[in-house]
Amino acid sequence: MEQGGQMRELGKPQGTRVGIVMDNLRERIASRSLMPGARVPSIRVMTEALGVSKSTVVEAYDRLVAEGAIVARRGSGFFVSGHAPPLALADLGPRLDREVDPLWLTRQSLQPGSKVLKPGCGWMPASWLPERGVRRALRAIARDPQSPLADYANPYGLPALRQQLAWRVAQHGVEAPPEQIVLTDGGTHALDLVCRFLLEPGDTVLIDDPCYFNFQALLRAHRARIVGVPYTPSGPDLAAFERALVEHRPRLYVTNSAIHNPTGATLAPAVAHRLLKLAGEHALIVVEDDIFADFEDEAAPRLAAFDGLTRVVSIGSFSKTLSAAARCGYIAARAEWIEPLIDLKLATSFGNGQLTASVVHRLLVDGTYRRHLESMRAKLADAMGETMRRLNYAGLDVWTQPRAGMFVWARLPDSLDAADIARHALGADVVFAPGNVFSVSQSATGYLRFNVSQCNRPKVYEALQRAMESAAASGERKRA
Amino acid sequence: MEQGGQMRELGKPQGTRVGIVMDNLRERIASRSLMPGARVPSIRVMTEALGVSKSTVVEAYDRLVAEGAIVARRGSGFFVSGHAPPLALADLGPRLDREVDPLWLTRQSLQPGSKVLKPGCGWMPASWLPERGVRRALRAIARDPQSPLADYANPYGLPALRQQLAWRVAQHGVEAPPEQIVLTDGGTHALDLVCRFLLEPGDTVLIDDPCYFNFQALLRAHRARIVGVPYTPSGPDLAAFERALVEHRPRLYVTNSAIHNPTGATLAPAVAHRLLKLAGEHALIVVEDDIFADFEDEAAPRLAAFDGLTRVVSIGSFSKTLSAAARCGYIAARAEWIEPLIDLKLATSFGNGQLTASVVHRLLVDGTYRRHLESMRAKLADAMGETMRRLNYAGLDVWTQPRAGMFVWARLPDSLDAADIARHALGADVVFAPGNVFSVSQSATGYLRFNVSQCNRPKVYEALQRAMESAAASGERKRA
């Protein structure tokens, strides 16, 4: 259920006083409480702090220099050796087989190649997005003498778009005036900025188990400790949530509540209320990724709406519903957090791209987006019904009937392992999304996430069927 | 010359053994070697490590709990209290008057308002950028059935643009095949990604003094210790550079070498060679921000070219020369760093925007960019001559004659303080850039940076003259 924060196993204290001093420093270096390059406490300080003689500390430091753990610099004391190696996300956290590694699925999904089918992909095919609308918006922007084509964006982001967003989030009950909305380059950038603002390395973050797989990679990039809470069809398991609050004292909880990824579940109002009460009691901040807001026919409960942006930060984007080529997202947060968020945004990206923000703005105000959403929802509802019917026919169990959206979370029959299915299907150029990609506890072995907009080709089900047969056969071989 | 890493002044050890234990923990909490929420060493470990009795440690912990520094959790030990406050860049590093605060100048420069003149701004007016070309590119993209209008980008970024970039950096002697180039959303995003990859919190980074002001804000966001090295008209002061390497063991050196911001200086080949030799001897990695590459008529020496991307990472963007509304930058780095950089990019932004990348690509291949650069350079050369003439006439001394680019670094006469000038001129709606905004040591009190493309209105010099008179008068009043 938990990862990160492992302490390297160290040798037993040598029993001697010199050994105690050495072990004290070795442990602080291994746990990174003393970072590479950091100054080691002076001999005087160590002597006082550890209550040992100066000669003991001197001998311990000499030995640590000899073994290369620390270095002496004339006149300025002792320092931890070397530099930390570059940050390789693939090396942080537990080593996973690539079939269930979130970064690997991201790469697979992003690889172009038109003959590959991607029922495990997290977005809709380009043909389901309003490409003609985007073309029309580009022509309009090219024509308009007022278009922002050269300059950097206003630090907050395009004012007209923030105005639109204030109105849109109000439709979901979230009251955020334009001054409390910050534009970003997409939803991931929004979450990244919020994590930069709120997290220190080593902070604990709660996520749903299962949850959107990139949350894990992003949080690892922030050196967060990740703790998963089981997700139920009406929201997180509140008993487990409370235990995690008590035991791990997390700083943040990151979730999508309206339509949950990957399960398609919707938060129940009672769960939302209880969750916010617990958050208040435990000084927890909640980041609600509302990226699937516009897939809903009727607005499900929003934590940000119940809470009034006190301890909930709401983020969103148009990458799933409009275009992922024109990166544009936003953060809605409490008023006094806006200025420091803007400072961080300027320092780390010098503001978001206003060309793409104006593409999105045009499509929101000219009616394209509204019309697109209507037809998209109808298409998705049809595809959802058809996909569930076919999955049932193939012998899979749907975990919960989604109210809307594009994801179906389904369990394989006969204890089949979804990673085996994904491996077999990849050979036939079909990318499935095995459950453990989404599960920090690796407890979703028997599940697959299906994107109904990418499941309308018979080849998907043929590949699924064949992969299930192969996996069953190799399972029997293993047992035999 | 140096900032960050200040240790909070703590009370003197109380002398008793209990006091020693308490001070040991207090100091580790204040210096963040024990972070909020972190587990405190167990009573047993502390007893062994400090060579004191168990009852001493128990009493010390009880007192620290009573004063709220740590909390006890049943069955799991002691933890540092609370969470760290959100990261407010404005509160990190030294407190500066807003006249010389880098974040403040960024905000001022980004504020729209057509009646405000911005000779201190870091970019050219929109009218100096190829807006018509951008409009044409948008129309062409709208027409082209192959345009990437809906999908996420390839993880590396648009292949055709990386191909173009490989060819372009080769013109400056930097050999980077397209596989060693990663697209980003602008130059700041590129530097941010490199810092995420290479820096740990607490690492030391060398920067030029003076240097581009946003380097300071960005590095503070990464919790880096910043050490400045004086810049000379031929590059960094190598004696000071070597001393800083020995004394501070920095991980990175961040610079722009081709046309240095804010001084307009150019790196001399001998300095480049010696600098790279020192970097090799001290395991230093260099990030060369080549954002002004295309302002040059003749390519000045590049560290990345001399080094062959071994320990130099080259970054760049088109925000200064083409459009800042279409965010597009790149990283060129050694081959084995590309995959982990891509993983980090996906985790933290899910890739760059390919709509803007294709705008840039169109303008590079249709000849617009080449023609624009030719006329832009000619215009800048004229403006450079005119600005230097007028600054001389106003009594300022130009520090070095830039070979190209848009910046002139000039010293005020009569020990005037540039921050006073900036304050007075702001009242007349003219934004100047006082030297200390760029100086980590705050040693450029008498300097201003002028952007020659923003200096062609007589009102700039009138405001400068009046501000100088007012500053001189108030200086005399102060002395009187």
Side-chain angles (χ1 to χ4, degrees):
Chain A
M1 191 78 91
E2 175 183 333
Q3 66 182 50
Q6 304 98 326
M7 183 84 78
R8 187 145 46 96
E9 198 63 87
L10 295 165
K12 292 267 172 224
Q14 301 176 18
T16 66
R17 283 177 173 256
V18 172
I20 288 170
V21 178
M22 291 176 74
D23 281 340
N24 174 291
L25 276 183
R26 282 201 199 106
E27 188 179 344
R28 283 157 75 177
I29 292 168
S31 69
R32 301 215 152 181
S33 90
L34 276 173
M35 302 288 280
R39 185 187 298 270
V40 174
S42 71
I43 289 171
R44 189 188 55 73
V45 166
M46 260 323 233
T47 303
E48 279 184 26
L50 299 187
V52 294
S53 72
K54 191 178 159 190
S55 65
T56 301
V57 178
V58 169
E59 186 182 337
Y61 280 24
D62 280 347
R63 289 189 185 202
L64 288 167
V65 169
E67 68 184 41
I70 65 175
V71 291
R73 282 185 232 149
R74 239 170 69 186
S76 54
F78 294 86
F79 294 80
V80 180
S81 294
H83 290 294
L87 179 69
L89 288 185
D91 295 340
L92 288 177
R95 275 267 171 210
L96 298 173
D97 288 338
R98 56 174 218 171
E99 282 74 17
V100 294
D101 181 67
L103 283 167
W104 187 81
L105 183 65
T106 304
R107 295 288 196 105
Q108 283 300 312
S109 302
L110 290 171
Q111 279 314 321
S114 50
K115 78 187 180 90
V116 176
L117 295 181
K118 298 177 178 171
C121 178
W123 49 91
M124 300 192 291
S127 59
W128 286 52
L129 292 171
E131 278 204 345
R132 279 174 52 200
V134 175
R135 290 181 199 281
R136 207 165 44 238
L138 290 174
R139 285 196 301 270
I141 290 168
R143 263 196 313 270
D144 183 351
Q146 303 300 318
S147 292
L149 298 178
D151 270 334
Y152 288 94
N154 168 310
Y156 301 82
L158 197 68
L161 179 54
R162 284 185 293 122
Q163 190 78 53
Q164 268 293 311
L165 285 167
W167 179 82
R168 297 192 72 85
V169 298
Q171 308 306 301
H172 304 130
V174 180
E175 287 210 33
E179 301 72 41
Q180 276 175 253
I181 293 176
V182 177
L183 294 194
T184 64
D185 292 323
T188 309
H189 182 215
L191 178 57
D192 184 50
L193 207 53
V194 170
C195 286
R196 284 185 120 129
F197 178 54
L198 293 173
L199 290 184
E200 294 279 339
D203 275 355
T204 299
V205 179
L206 297 189
I207 56 175
D208 299 318
D209 187 359
C211 73
Y212 170 48
F213 55 77
N214 201 51
F215 287 165
Q216 289 182 58
L218 188 145
L219 290 167
R220 278 192 272 152
H222 285 274
R223 276 91 156 166
R225 276 178 75 233
I226 301 170
V227 174
V229 172
Y231 208 75
T232 79
S234 57
D237 174 334
L238 286 175
F241 195 84
E242 184 165 11
R243 277 197 305 278
L245 290 177
V246 171
E247 188 175 343
H248 300 287
R249 297 171 59 85
R251 169 66 153 175
L252 279 189
Y253 168 49
V254 180
T255 187
N256 1 72
S257 48
I259 302 174
H260 182 254
N261 181 4
T263 65
T266 301
L267 190 67
V271 176
H273 275 298
R274 179 82 188 115
L275 193 157
L276 286 172
K277 189 155 177 293
L278 288 170
E281 289 164 8
H282 289 84
L284 178 76
I285 297 165
V286 180
V287 181
E288 185 170 49
D289 180 2
D290 209 356
I291 193 170
F292 300 108
D294 292 333
F295 287 85
E296 293 180 299
D297 286 308
E298 273 175 82
R302 293 296 195 280
L303 294 169
F306 286 12
D307 166 76
L309 295 180
T310 305
R311 55 178 57 258
V312 177
V313 179
S314 180
I315 61 178
S317 98
F318 294 91
S319 305
K320 301 292 183 202
T321 46
L322 213 163
S323 162
R327 310 291 291 137
C328 183
Y330 65 89
I331 301 168
R334 65 162 92 153
E336 68 272 26
W337 285 356
I338 300 300
E339 291 300 315
L341 278 168
I342 297 282
D343 280 347
L344 267 177
K345 179 172 94 160
L346 294 179
T348 57
S349 71
F350 223 79
N352 59 288
Q354 66 174 342
L355 176 58
T356 52
S358 49
V359 169
V360 170
H361 177 248
R362 290 237 164 221
L363 294 169
L364 294 192
V365 295
D366 75 0
T368 303
Y369 190 59
R370 184 182 52 72
R371 287 190 301 274
H372 161 64
L373 289 182
E374 281 168 17
S375 72
M376 177 194 87
R377 286 183 203 132
K379 247 170 118 171
L380 279 170
D382 286 350
M384 178 73 76
E386 178 67 7
T387 302
M388 299 218 304
R389 196 182 61 72
R390 283 184 177 250
L391 292 178
N392 272 326
Y393 182 77
L396 284 80
D397 269 339
V398 169
W399 185 73
T400 189
Q401 158 104 43
R403 286 168 39 155
M406 57 179 152
F407 297 130
V408 175
W409 183 243
R411 192 158 51 85
L412 291 159
D414 306 325
S415 310
L416 287 172
D417 183 334
D420 287 343
I421 304 294
R423 199 178 302 116
H424 283 292
L426 204 59
D429 282 336
V430 179
V431 179
F432 283 109
N436 280 347
V437 170
F438 307 92
S439 170
V440 64
S441 68
Q442 299 287 293
S443 59
T445 311
Y447 286 83
L448 285 166
R449 185 192 72 180
F450 294 88
N451 176 340
V452 303
S453 72
Q454 304 266 11
C455 286
N456 54 354
R457 304 271 290 275
K459 194 183 158 193
V460 168
Y461 303 96
E462 289 159 22
L464 177 62
Q465 202 66 55
R466 267 199 302 276
M468 285 166 63
E469 284 157 15
S470 304
S474 59
E476 272 163 29
R477 271 198 306 279
K478 271 189 229 162
R479 277 191 294 278
Chain B
M1 190 78 89
E2 175 183 334
Q3 65 182 52
Q6 305 99 326
M7 182 84 78
R8 188 148 44 99
E9 198 63 89
L10 294 167
K12 293 265 172 231
Q14 301 176 18
T16 65
R17 286 181 167 252
V18 172
I20 289 170
V21 178
M22 290 175 73
D23 281 340
N24 174 291
L25 276 184
R26 282 201 200 104
E27 189 178 344
R28 284 157 74 178
I29 292 167
S31 69
R32 301 214 153 183
S33 91
L34 275 174
M35 302 288 281
R39 185 187 299 268
V40 173
S42 71
I43 289 171
R44 188 188 54 74
V45 166
M46 255 332 228
T47 304
E48 280 184 26
L50 300 187
V52 293
S53 72
K54 190 177 159 193
S55 65
T56 300
V57 177
V58 169
E59 186 182 337
Y61 280 24
D62 280 348
R63 287 189 187 204
L64 287 167
V65 169
E67 68 184 40
I70 64 175
V71 290
R73 281 185 231 150
R74 238 169 73 184
S76 53
F78 295 85
F79 294 81
V80 180
S81 294
H83 290 293
L87 179 68
L89 288 183
D91 295 339
L92 288 177
R95 273 267 170 209
L96 298 174
D97 287 339
R98 55 175 217 170
E99 281 73 17
V100 294
D101 181 66
L103 283 167
W104 187 82
L105 183 65
T106 304
R107 295 290 197 103
Q108 283 300 312
S109 302
L110 290 171
Q111 279 314 320
S114 51
K115 78 186 181 91
V116 177
L117 296 181
K118 298 176 178 171
C121 177
W123 50 92
M124 300 192 292
S127 59
W128 287 52
L129 292 171
E131 279 204 343
R132 278 174 53 200
V134 174
R135 289 180 200 281
R136 207 166 42 239
L138 290 174
R139 284 196 302 269
I141 290 167
R143 263 196 313 271
D144 183 352
Q146 302 301 318
S147 293
L149 298 178
D151 270 334
Y152 288 95
N154 169 309
Y156 300 82
L158 197 69
L161 179 54
R162 284 185 293 121
Q163 191 78 51
Q164 268 292 314
L165 285 167
W167 178 83
R168 296 192 72 84
V169 298
Q171 309 305 301
H172 303 129
V174 180
E175 286 210 35
E179 301 73 41
Q180 276 175 255
I181 293 175
V182 177
L183 294 194
T184 64
D185 292 323
T188 309
H189 181 215
L191 178 57
D192 185 50
L193 208 52
V194 170
C195 286
R196 284 185 122 128
F197 177 55
L198 293 173
L199 290 184
E200 293 280 338
D203 275 355
T204 299
V205 178
L206 298 189
I207 56 175
D208 299 318
D209 187 358
C211 74
Y212 170 48
F213 55 77
N214 202 52
F215 287 164
Q216 289 182 59
L218 187 144
L219 290 168
R220 278 192 271 151
H222 285 273
R223 276 91 154 165
R225 275 178 76 235
I226 300 170
V227 173
V229 172
Y231 209 75
T232 80
S234 58
D237 174 335
L238 286 175
F241 194 83
E242 185 165 12
R243 277 197 305 278
L245 290 176
V246 171
E247 188 175 342
H248 299 288
R249 299 172 58 84
R251 168 66 154 175
L252 279 189
Y253 167 50
V254 179
T255 188
N256 1 71
S257 48
I259 303 174
H260 182 254
N261 181 5
T263 65
T266 300
L267 190 67
V271 176
H273 275 297
R274 179 83 186 112
L275 193 157
L276 286 172
K277 189 154 176 293
L278 288 170
E281 288 164 8
H282 289 84
L284 178 77
I285 296 164
V286 180
V287 181
E288 186 171 48
D289 180 3
D290 209 356
I291 194 170
F292 300 108
D294 292 334
F295 288 85
E296 293 180 300
D297 286 309
E298 275 175 81
R302 292 298 194 281
L303 293 168
F306 286 13
D307 167 76
L309 294 180
T310 305
R311 56 179 55 259
V312 177
V313 178
S314 179
I315 62 178
S317 99
F318 295 90
S319 305
K320 302 292 183 203
T321 46
L322 214 163
S323 162
R327 311 293 290 136
C328 183
Y330 66 88
I331 301 168
R334 65 162 92 154
E336 68 272 27
W337 285 356
I338 299 300
E339 292 299 316
L341 278 168
I342 297 282
D343 280 346
L344 267 177
K345 179 171 95 159
L346 295 178
T348 58
S349 71
F350 222 79
N352 59 289
Q354 66 174 343
L355 176 58
T356 52
S358 48
V359 169
V360 170
H361 177 249
R362 290 237 164 222
L363 294 169
L364 294 193
V365 296
D366 76 0
T368 303
Y369 190 59
R370 184 183 50 73
R371 287 190 301 273
H372 160 64
L373 288 182
E374 281 168 17
S375 72
M376 177 194 85
R377 287 184 201 131
K379 246 171 120 172
L380 279 170
D382 286 351
M384 177 74 75
E386 177 68 7
T387 302
M388 299 219 304
R389 195 182 62 70
R390 283 184 176 250
L391 293 178
N392 272 326
Y393 181 78
L396 283 80
D397 268 339
V398 169
W399 185 73
T400 190
Q401 159 105 43
R403 286 168 38 156
M406 56 179 152
F407 296 131
V408 174
W409 183 243
R411 192 157 51 85
L412 290 159
D414 306 325
S415 311
L416 287 172
D417 182 332
D420 286 343
I421 304 293
R423 200 177 304 114
H424 283 292
L426 203 60
D429 282 337
V430 178
V431 179
F432 283 109
N436 280 347
V437 170
F438 307 93
S439 169
V440 64
S441 67
Q442 298 288 294
S443 60
T445 310
Y447 287 83
L448 285 166
R449 184 191 72 180
F450 293 89
N451 176 339
V452 302
S453 71
Q454 302 267 10
C455 286
N456 54 355
R457 303 272 290 277
K459 194 182 158 192
V460 168
Y461 304 95
E462 289 159 22
L464 177 61
Q465 202 65 55
R466 268 200 301 276
M468 284 166 64
E469 284 157 15
S470 304
S474 59
E476 273 164 26
R477 271 199 305 278
K478 272 188 229 163
R479 278 190 294 279

